[in-house]
Amino acid sequence: MQVEASAKPERLEDLGRVREKLEKLFEQSEALQAGRMHDERFMEIYEKGDNLEDLYMSLKYLHYELFDCLVIARGTID
């Protein structure tokens, strides 16, 4: 993918911010890690409900951070 020479520097910075946020999410999000698990492993970890609150909080954080990425990508708010 080539970046146009006329791209505004602040938009390139926005892309960098989005990339950093996404990289952090993929490294640290329990929700994303749970989504990659086989069904059996997921059930081992979450069927008793002991870890559901952590998963719920991870989903809320994931939602918030993805929405933030969308806002940055749209360029509507600094």
Side-chain angles (χ1 to χ4, degrees), residues 10-78:
E10 60 270 12
R11 295 305 294 157
L12 293 175
E13 289 176 18
D14 287 347
L15 286 175
R17 288 173 52 207
V18 169
R19 188 199 78 235
E20 287 175 8
K21 283 182 167 289
L22 291 173
E23 285 176 350
K24 181 180 174 185
L25 284 174
F26 277 97
E27 289 173 8
Q28 298 177 356
S29 174
E30 180 177 351
L32 290 176
Q33 291 172 10
R36 291 189 296 260
M37 292 178 187
H38 291 292
D39 293 345
E40 297 82 20
R41 179 69 178 137
F42 181 88
M43 291 304 292
E44 285 175 20
I45 294 173
Y46 296 104
E47 76 178 327
K48 293 181 183 176
D50 297 339
N51 299 320
L52 287 179
E53 186 173 346
D54 291 339
L55 182 59
Y56 173 71
M57 294 305 293
S58 181
L59 284 168
K60 284 183 71 166
Y61 179 74
L62 178 62
H63 176 268
Y64 172 79
E65 289 295 307
L66 288 174
F67 183 78
D68 197 35
C69 286
L70 180 61
V71 169
I72 293 169
R74 286 180 177 163
T76 55
I77 297 176
D78 282 332

